[in-house]
Structure formats: C-alpha cells, structure tokens
Amino acid sequence: MPCYHCGARQVDPGKGPSPWKRGVIKDEQVLVCPDCQQVHDWKADLDRCESCGSTMLVRALGETRCRECAFTKSVVQRSERSSDSSLADDVAAALKRRFEG
C-alpha cells in the first residue's frame, strides 16, 4: 500500500518499529511515509472517532475501530478510489518506461 499523500511505496522494514504511520481516511486504511510526516500536516487529514475524537483508528474486516476508546463503526459498502493506481498499474508503467525509453 503506498503513502496516501505522495504515493511512495513502503519497503521491507529494518529491525525495530516501522517509521511509517497508519490511519483511516474516508473509511479506508492509509499509510503515511516518514517524509510526508515531516512536511505535511497528515493528522489533519485523518478521520476521527465518532465517540472520542481520536485519530487512532484502524480498519479490519469491514469495520473501523478506535484504538483509544474501542468504539467500532461498521461500513456496509466501501467505495473504490479511482485516483489511486494499483500495484499492477505501477509495475506496468515501470516496465513500459524501461523497455520503451
């Protein structure tokens, strides 16, 4: 999954905790790369818990759960974000650049 802001892809982490952060935007789990954490107010973009207002939300099995107060919100149907390209699209574009350029 790429960074929601710049599109950078996460690489295999070294030892220790990952510097990437996660959150939820429009009921979809997103990742934030370390660079965007430094130059962009990424926390302002995150969804907030309907119960306590925290941004510490996680998505799993069609639900958004707050890690602060444990409030859970079910989302019946998620919409596809057409502006994001899939990994397959990224690979196809890279191969095209490599072999046609």
Side-chain angles (χ1 to χ4, degrees):
M1 175 185 309
C3 173
Y4 88 99
H5 188 68
C6 72
R9 293 217 175 258
Q10 186 176 22
V11 296
D12 290 335
K15 295 190 183 231
S18 173
W20 286 64
K21 301 293 182 191
R22 63 181 128 155
V24 175
I25 297 176
K26 297 181 183 174
D27 291 319
E28 287 195 38
Q29 181 109 6
V30 296
L31 289 177
V32 186
C33 73
D35 291 338
C36 287
Q37 292 172 41
Q38 300 300 316
V39 298
H40 177 71
D41 185 14
W42 61 279
K43 287 186 180 181
D45 295 342
L46 299 178
D47 290 354
R48 295 192 169 273
C49 175
E50 293 176 16
S51 179
C52 72
S54 172
T55 58
M56 295 178 61
L57 304 176
V58 292
R59 290 275 307 156
L61 303 173
E63 296 180 334
T64 301
R65 185 178 55 82
C66 178
R67 292 184 299 176
E68 189 74 27
C69 72
F71 176 80
T72 302
K73 173 184 165 187
S74 294
V75 177
V76 177
Q77 186 176 28
R78 287 188 356 189
S79 63
E80 294 294 322
R81 290 191 297 171
S82 61
S83 63
D84 285 346
S85 62
S86 68
L87 178 58
D89 294 337
D90 291 348
V91 170
L95 288 171
K96 185 175 180 179
R97 286 191 305 272
R98 170 68 173 102
F99 293 109
E100 291 182 6

